[in-house]
Amino acid sequence: MRSLLVIAAIVVGGFLVIHVGKAVTAKDPPPGGHSGSTAVSLSTMQTYRTITVSPTAVTCGGYRRGAYPNRSKGAMGFPNGTCAVGNRVKGKDPIKITYNGMQGFVYVHAGWAMPNGNDVGTPWKPCSSTGQRAVRCTGPNGLPGYDQYMVRTFSPEAGMLTQITGNNVCDMNFRPAHGCYASRGNSQREGLYITGPSKIPGTDTAQSWTAWVIWTAEPQSIRHHPK
Amino acid sequence: MHLRALAGTLVPAMVLAGVLAAVPQPAQASVGVGIQAGPVRLPGVAHPGQSVALPPVSVVNAGTRPESIRVGVQRDPRGGGRPVPPSWVQPGVASVQLAPHHAIRISLQLTVPAGAKPGSYVGDLVATASGQLSVGHANLGAAAATLLEFRVAPDPAPGFWWSVFTQTLWALLIVLLLAAVVFAVRRSGIRVRVEREAVSYGAADEYGGEHA
């Protein structure tokens, strides 16, 4: 009987210790303590990774290609009409991308081109003449197919164009000598070439479209982090 | 004479040039965003079926205009670890309006489904400032990413086992207390006698029942 009571007491005691122990916390040290103190002011480098793009919107001009009668100098023609933001040959690169903060990479992708306002139109998806099948252009000779469009970036330092899709890819134009590697204060001027679809549905009435191109400041890969 | 004429021409031109230089030219609007450089890393491990708070992430509007900035998860384009399903991470706010060069911390909640595979998960936590839509143009946007890392343990949350342990302990305690009470009563010599008394049917007759 006595041993049974002892066991019960141990169990109850242990249970109380576990629960009451949770509520016990140490007191905060007194502010300032007993010793003298002095305020130290210091500056640190920027701990954000930022990217800025200017201007916020650009106009695509210099319309070319398409086939009669779907060809115009004032609008994108079909099939595969083109327009340009800037001029690679004349060295006009109206978009400025600036990277700041800890070193990383500059990636870029394009969004769907959407019809404006109440216009009826099927969105155009960005495609590439190379790369994964999911984003590959389905038109002849690697050109955009049905409801597809192509965005290519150029910069004064790069010898070739970079095709961009809906997936983030390294913007090889940002620092051609270092891939898309970027560190504090790096900037680049770039322009765009846009190629339209081979054809669009006959029911589409939209004559004005809005496209997105987004540059992303990316951290270094997990592989590059010493652990 | 020539000097006076030259001065009369040059001075106004120099004054005009000075004035033009002094007047600030309107800066081109820019869209910009920043995110903390350090990765968002869950201390410890998450367990399947558990919902835990991730450390908050800091974002800043680096552009020249007020921006609506939203935070979401994207696949790490460079690979490494299991990709983080975007639906697992919910920011405290869907989007936040920030004035130029203003920053804010956004809380994050990680919900790991019960059937989640254990291992190391890696993704990009991306803050996107898409700017104001300019109809009929090629709109330019900016985004900034930081790494999101956490580990999922193979077993359920420790809270589960703790609750099982606590309930078991309570049940054991009650049984022990009951047993102690029973033994104490027996040892004290107290006896409770329960007797059954036979009840005879037909008692109504004796107490004046009526008969037809």
Side-chain angles (χ1 to χ4, degrees):
Chain A
M1 174 62 197
R2 185 175 295 171
S3 60
L4 196 66
L5 286 174
V6 168
I7 291 169
I10 289 170
V11 170
V12 172
F15 195 67
L16 287 174
V17 165
I18 289 169
H19 276 268
V20 175
K22 282 184 183 176
V24 175
T25 54
K27 283 185 179 177
D28 289 335
H34 296 290
S35 59
S37 62
T38 186
V40 177
S41 178
L42 51 86
S43 300
T44 60
M45 62 180 294
Q46 187 179 7
T47 54
Y48 283 99
R49 178 180 297 110
T50 69
I51 195 163
T52 55
V53 180
S54 67
T56 57
V58 287
T59 303
C60 208
Y63 293 97
R64 293 169 187 269
R65 298 186 61 172
Y68 180 83
N70 298 317
R71 181 174 185 168
S72 166
K73 289 189 175 178
M76 183 173 280
F78 296 100
N80 301 123
T82 64
C83 66
V85 175
N87 189 318
R88 186 183 173 203
V89 178
K90 294 180 179 176
K92 291 182 179 176
D93 314 285
I95 304 166
K96 185 179 182 185
I97 301 108
T98 306
Y99 183 98
N100 258 307
M102 302 289 189
Q103 67 272 22
F105 298 98
V106 173
Y107 278 56
V108 64
H109 74 278
W112 290 8
M114 305 294 287
N116 291 326
N118 294 323
D119 289 348
V120 176
T122 310
W124 301 350
K125 291 121 190 133
C127 70
S128 167
S129 61
T130 58
Q132 297 174 351
R133 177 181 290 271
V135 294
R136 195 171 296 169
C137 294
T138 56
N141 303 320
L143 290 169
Y146 189 73
D147 283 331
Q148 289 184 323
Y149 80 115
M150 182 191 288
V151 182
R152 292 171 295 169
T153 62
F154 60 85
S155 71
E157 295 175 22
M160 57 188 296
L161 302 167
T162 302
Q163 293 188 31
I164 60 178
T165 67
N167 299 325
N168 251 336
V169 293
C170 178
D171 183 6
M172 297 301 287
N173 285 308
F174 189 74
R175 290 184 75 194
H178 303 87
C180 54
Y181 179 81
S183 58
R184 192 151 50 109
N186 287 159
S187 67
Q188 181 60 273
R189 300 199 74 91
E190 296 188 19
L192 304 172
Y193 286 135
I194 296 178
T195 305
S198 59
K199 61 178 180 177
I200 58 173
T203 53
D204 281 8
T205 58
Q207 291 188 303
S208 176
W209 299 76
T210 299
W212 282 97
V213 178
I214 297 176
W215 280 265
T216 302
E218 284 280 348
Q220 286 188 308
S221 168
I222 225 68
R223 294 188 297 272
H224 295 130
H225 278 288
K227 285 208 166 182
Chain B
M1 185 65 185
H2 286 291
L3 280 175
R4 185 176 293 177
L6 191 63
T9 307
L10 280 179
V11 168
M14 289 172 70
V15 169
L16 182 63
V19 168
L20 284 176
V23 172
Q25 300 297 310
Q28 206 167 32
S30 66
V31 57
V33 66
I35 196 165
Q36 68 181 50
V40 173
R41 193 174 283 143
L42 179 71
V45 294
H47 297 266
Q50 193 181 33
S51 183
V52 293
L54 288 165
V57 64
S58 297
V59 297
V60 63
N61 176 4
T64 57
R65 304 182 310 184
E67 287 291 345
S68 179
I69 295 174
R70 64 181 191 279
V71 171
V73 172
Q74 290 180 5
R75 176 188 284 265
D76 177 11
R78 300 160 306 279
R82 292 185 185 278
V84 181
S87 62
W88 288 16
V89 179
Q90 293 297 322
V93 287
S95 67
V96 61
Q97 189 77 17
L98 280 181
H101 308 296
H102 277 64
I104 194 171
R105 297 178 86 186
I106 297 176
S107 61
L108 300 165
Q109 190 72 19
L110 170 66
T111 304
V112 183
K117 291 181 178 176
S120 177
Y121 285 77
V122 180
D124 269 355
L125 202 56
V126 184
T128 306
S130 48
Q132 293 158 1
L133 185 69
S134 184
V135 173
H137 293 87
N139 287 264
L140 309 176
T146 195
L147 285 171
L148 168 64
E149 300 172 68
F150 60 87
R151 286 187 61 80
V152 172
D155 51 339
F160 172 78
W161 294 113
W162 174 250
S163 65
V164 169
F165 173 71
T166 308
Q167 288 167 9
T168 308
L169 204 61
W170 272 113
L172 184 66
L173 186 64
I174 290 167
V175 168
L176 283 174
L177 283 175
L178 281 174
V181 167
V182 168
F183 272 94
V185 167
R186 283 194 176 181
R187 293 279 291 183
S188 66
I190 297 172
R191 292 286 183 272
V192 178
R193 176 169 298 205
V194 179
E195 292 184 354
R196 292 183 65 186
E197 189 173 327
V199 178
S200 62
Y201 296 98
D205 288 345
E206 296 173 17
Y207 290 94
E210 291 182 2
H211 290 274

